[in-house]
Amino acid sequence: MTDEEQYEFDRCGYLIIKNMLDAEELQSLAEASEKLLAHAVENIDLPPRKKSRWGAEYHQDEELGYHAFGKNAPGETILVEDFFNADPAFDCLVNHQRTMDYITPIVKGRPSINNSELRIRYQDNSTVMHMGGPVGSKYRYSFIDGRIDCMMIRMIYFIHDVSKEEGAFCVVPGTHKSEYKAPYYNGPDKEPGVVALEVKAGDAILFTENLRHGGVTNFSEQTRKTLHVGYGPFWLKSQNISTMDEDQYILEKTLERYDDEQKLLFLSYEQPHT
Ligand SMILES: O=C(O)CCC(=O)C(=O)O
């Protein structure tokens, strides 16, 4: 992270990072996402079910190790959580060097991955605006001891271009520092101050969960597909909706593919001293 990026992240609460993925990563992540989505659409209403502590009921896929929720229909969304279990093609995002160069300066101490989701947004779908202002300690943005000290942060990877009309991710810049909760309930397309962030395939957006954010309406015929990976201090447990505040749902056979540094990103307790 350059000094300029650090300044902008602190000022605005997000960064657009051009060409985060190389051509090979982009192609294999896009192909794996399509395959995973097709599997999830076939299985999403089937047992076994996992009830989230936030209320939603997810399909827990025993074969591929993901949790999926939602509907394949106009106006709807599908979330496929724990995608790392589903396909080794996603392994390149675990301890991804370019990504970690942005994560380590803004999370104090050892970071871990606390969220992984393939987010699918069909035509006419929008994501409600949330967060911003005083959000409590779990998702807070702080500046302590002369450095940025974030709890939950997310990196969104774009596997195709997304314009405003195609349902761009959107933010209200600076609201991670606001002392007030937003007084607006009129949705991402009408809320004052909302900026839709247009990106190209291979770009990424980094943001603090403290920032007010959402997704403007997808007015196009293109289904929006994005990969989201959350980070925070190692002790912050899963922030996937299906397994909220539980240990990360990472299968033994997935961990077996990883080297030690990658495994550490899924360890939510202090390493035993040897
Ligand atoms: O991409 C979107 O539409 C919203 C994403 C979001 O709310 C999140 O990643 O926390």
Side-chain angles (χ1 to χ4, degrees), residues 20-166:
M20 169 62 91
L21 303 171
D22 66 29
E24 203 181 313
E25 289 167 338
L26 176 59
Q27 191 185 341
S28 73
L29 290 170
E31 283 169 11
S33 299
E34 291 297 343
K35 229 167 88 186
L36 179 55
L37 174 61
H39 195 281
V41 166
E42 286 238 318
N43 291 279
I44 206 154
D45 294 323
L46 301 178
R49 316 295 294 168
K50 164 97 168 99
K51 179 107 178 180
S52 152
R53 59 172 72 178
W54 283 8
E57 210 183 79
Y58 278 69
H59 164 67
Q60 181 172 43
D61 195 79
E62 287 176 323
E63 184 195 351
L64 297 186
Y66 64 77
H67 293 90
F69 166 83
K71 273 200 192 79
N72 169 14
E76 300 288 342
T77 184
I78 286 182
L79 285 183
V80 187
E81 296 182 339
D82 301 300
F83 62 71
F84 289 122
N85 291 320
D87 193 323
F90 296 116
D91 292 358
C92 67
L93 296 181
V94 182
N95 204 22
H96 183 258
Q97 199 47 61
R98 276 210 74 206
T99 297
M100 296 315 290
D101 289 346
Y102 287 91
I103 303 304
T104 48
I106 60 174
V107 173
K108 208 170 170 188
R110 179 168 70 78
S112 70
I113 289 177
N114 56 35
N115 157 253
S116 58
E117 70 194 43
L118 168 62
R119 185 178 280 253
I120 305 299
R121 293 187 40 216
Y122 294 101
Q123 186 172 27
D124 294 335
N125 175 265
S126 62
T127 306
V128 70
M129 297 302 291
H130 54 291
M131 300 294 172
V135 295
S137 58
K138 192 181 186 187
Y139 296 136
R140 66 152 174 79
Y141 173 91
S142 307
F143 192 88
I144 301 175
D145 295 337
R147 56 161 292 167
I148 294 171
D149 180 356
C150 286
M151 291 290 130
M152 176 92 181
I153 48 180
R154 278 200 175 105
M155 189 70 85
I156 310 181
Y157 300 94
F158 291 85
I159 51 179
H160 57 79
D161 298 357
V162 183
S163 67
K164 181 175 178 186
E165 291 67 34
E166 289 163 340

Side-chain angles (χ1 to χ4, degrees), residues 195-208:
V195 179
L197 305 178
E198 299 193 317
V199 289
K200 296 288 182 201
D203 294 349
I205 295 175
L206 172 70
F207 67 103
T208 158

